Structure formats: structure tokens, C-alpha cells
Amino acid sequence: SSGINAEYGEIRQNNYQGVLSATGVDFMMRKMLALISSKLITFANNNMVVSSLSIHKENVIPLDGEEFESENFGKGSKSRAEIGQDGSVKVTTNLPNGKTVVSVREIDEDDRLVLTLTVGDVKGTRTYQRA
């Protein structure tokens, strides 16, 4: 997990809007979320902390396998995180509307952070370069 521990700037999005739409996020919120392009990812006290630098918001993801409420997808969203043997971080979120979002953060062969989001059969990615 410490391989992900860094500051990142977004370099590419692929079907991110499609994933947000599949979760039920409205048009204006999708546009706003797509503009959040810089992240700081750190690890402390068995948590992954994803800070969105442009809006000064922190999302704390506990890595102990316990269920937690995810602010990212609104009230009532329940999430669970797990760390893969390769150091990737997978978060599964069950939304109040019955949909499930799977988010996987991993480092690719070019040392970039790739966030892959899947909702049903809709998949999108956001790719970040280390700052």
C-alpha cells in the first residue's frame, strides 16, 4: 500500500461520466466531480486517506475490512475496503438505490495510479501521474 502513498495529478479520464451516470449522480454533480483532478493519497493508522486538493475534502477509507459509510456516494452508502496481495486497494460500495460500485486503485507499469470504477457492466477509469 505504501507504493500508492503520494500526491497525484489527473492525466486522463475514460468513461468516468458514464460510471457516475450509472450510479444515479445527476448531470451538474457529474460535471463538478469530473473537475476534481488532484489527489493526495496517504496511509496512516490502517486507513487510506484520499484528499481532493482542489476542494479541500478528505475521504478516509479504513483498511481493516470493516464496513463503513462512504460520503462519496451519499447518505446510506455502505462500503468495505480490502488490500490485494499486489498492494492494490479495492473498495466495494453498496448504494441505497441497490447498485454496487467497485473501485480499485493500483499502480500501473509506468508508476501511475489507475482508479478503475465498475457499476454493473459500466466501467470507467481515472489515471493519475505522481506530482
Side-chain angles (χ1 to χ4, degrees):
S1 61
S2 62
I4 294 177
N5 204 4
E7 185 174 333
Y8 296 91
E10 187 175 62
I11 57 172
R12 182 172 49 250
Q13 288 183 16
N14 180 23
N15 200 35
Y16 179 61
Q17 301 267 337
V19 170
L20 292 176
S21 182
T23 67
V25 174
D26 70 54
F27 178 78
M28 288 305 291
M29 183 60 83
R30 287 197 309 266
K31 291 297 180 196
M32 198 171 75
L33 290 170
L35 295 175
I36 302 170
S37 60
S38 57
K39 305 270 186 199
L40 175 64
I41 298 179
T42 55
F43 290 84
N45 303 324
N46 205 26
N47 292 318
M48 178 172 70
V49 180
V50 181
S51 303
S52 299
L53 303 177
S54 53
I55 61 168
H56 308 292
K57 183 173 183 342
E58 271 189 2
N59 184 19
V60 178
I61 300 170
L63 299 175
D64 56 10
E66 294 295 314
E67 189 174 81
F68 63 98
E69 190 158 316
S70 174
E71 290 181 25
N72 279 3
F73 295 101
K75 275 232 169 290
S77 298
K78 300 293 184 195
S79 298
R80 187 178 310 273
E82 49 193 284
I83 299 178
Q85 290 187 343
D86 60 356
S88 65
V89 177
K90 175 182 174 183
V91 179
T92 303
T93 304
N94 295 307
L95 305 179
N97 64 10
K99 298 185 184 223
T100 299
V101 181
V102 177
S103 313
V104 178
R105 289 172 179 85
E106 55 197 338
I107 301 297
D108 71 7
E109 64 279 355
D110 296 320
D111 202 36
R112 293 179 303 218
L113 174 69
V114 179
L115 168 60
T116 303
L117 297 146
T118 308
V119 181
D121 59 355
V122 180
K123 184 177 274 193
T125 59
R126 296 183 85 169
T127 304
Y128 300 88
Q129 190 76 47
R130 287 180 191 267

